[in-house]
Amino acid sequence: MIPVDARPYTFELVPDRTMLVVIDMQRDFIEPGGFGESRGNDVSRLRSIIPTTAALIALFRKKGWPILHTREAHRPDLSDCPPSKINRGRGPQKIGDPGPMGRLLIAGEPGNQIVPELAPIAGEMELDKPGKGMFWATGIHELLQEQGITHLIFAGVTTDVCVQTSMREANDRGFECLLLEDCCGATDLSNHRAAIEMIQMQGGVFGAVSDSAKLLAVLS
């Protein structure tokens, strides 16, 4: 095991059982004109984590360690998207509506692709998820079990919604979880900070928190 400086406890990384999970770094959330901006969000806060996340991905690729990229995505007929989710937010555009990058949050559309700076390469796992969390209706738990994965390192957006939801789900399923706070982001800074505090409260109720510099230092 490799000790990683984290809080509220040292995270013990197991190289052959660890996967990097990059949550929803897709154009619909990160770029102007996408679903996120249609909700009135400042997407520049999310774009700011691209360089640190790219460095993290590069490290895992160099090590030959597994990487999972997720996308919040729905079928074109929206059969996997409940009406309550479509109508939530009461914004000018809803899931499935046309936008500058194609239909919003629809699998296969240009806006649903991972931003070019972080695009998956051959051999890396890609997962379309219909919910906020990565485990709902995806079968990913069984795939991780088959690969012997026990430790998950989280990056991506948003800290307070899809990242935290996925981390909570992973915690309930027995995975050891580490969040890298400079590789995740939220459109509201106070929400980002609150989500991080929720993870590390009570001795690390959902896991531990560190940053990419500390991880890169111990693995370099």
Side-chain angles (χ1 to χ4, degrees):
M1 293 187 290
I2 301 173
V4 179
D5 184 15
R7 58 187 194 276
Y9 58 84
T10 299
F11 184 79
E12 296 182 334
L13 185 152
V14 182
D16 60 349
R17 292 183 174 271
T18 299
M19 174 177 280
L20 172 61
V21 180
V22 185
I23 300 287
D24 296 1
M25 292 296 288
Q26 58 206 75
R27 298 180 66 200
D28 264 334
F29 291 149
I30 305 297
E31 294 184 2
F35 181 78
E37 191 176 65
S38 77
R39 288 295 191 263
N41 296 322
D42 179 5
V43 296
S44 65
R45 292 184 180 275
L46 307 183
R47 290 197 60 81
S48 68
I49 69 168
I50 289 178
T52 50
T53 306
L56 180 63
I57 290 173
L59 172 66
F60 268 70
R61 287 174 177 168
K62 182 178 180 180
K63 296 281 187 182
W65 294 352
I67 302 172
L68 169 66
H69 303 261
T70 77
R71 291 179 292 257
E72 187 170 348
H74 293 285
R75 299 168 185 162
D77 64 1
L78 297 178
S79 60
D80 60 350
C81 188
S84 61
K85 182 177 182 181
I86 296 174
N87 295 326
R88 193 177 303 133
R90 304 298 191 271
Q93 291 182 301
K94 301 181 185 300
I95 295 172
D97 285 352
M101 296 180 286
R103 295 179 66 201
L104 301 174
L105 292 191
I106 298 300
E109 295 287 337
N112 203 236
Q113 306 308 305
I114 305 298
V115 294
E117 299 94 327
L118 307 178
I121 63 174
E124 294 176 356
M125 191 180 299
E126 300 178 51
L127 179 72
D128 285 340
K129 58 183 184 64
K132 303 294 189 291
M134 60 185 271
F135 289 91
W136 166 248
T138 64
I140 190 61
H141 187 195
E142 292 74 16
L143 290 175
L144 296 181
Q145 287 181 315
E146 290 174 5
Q147 295 185 20
I149 300 298
T150 57
H151 292 57
L152 300 176
I153 296 179
F154 283 92
V157 299
T158 59
T159 320
D160 51 334
V161 184
C162 293
V163 175
Q164 189 183 128
T165 301
S166 296
M167 192 168 180
R168 287 173 181 241
E169 289 181 333
N171 173 79
D172 281 346
R173 287 162 174 78
F175 292 95
E176 295 288 347
C177 300
L178 177 68
L179 178 78
L180 299 181
E181 59 183 330
D182 63 329
C183 293
C184 60
T187 56
D188 183 290
L189 186 57
S190 62
N191 286 348
H192 172 76
R193 290 170 174 166
I196 290 172
E197 182 57 34
M198 289 177 191
I199 290 167
Q200 62 189 15
M201 68 181 182
Q202 300 175 16
V205 66
F206 301 121
V209 178
S210 188
D211 59 59
S212 61
K214 291 176 181 176
L215 182 65
L216 267 62
V218 75
L219 294 181
S220 63

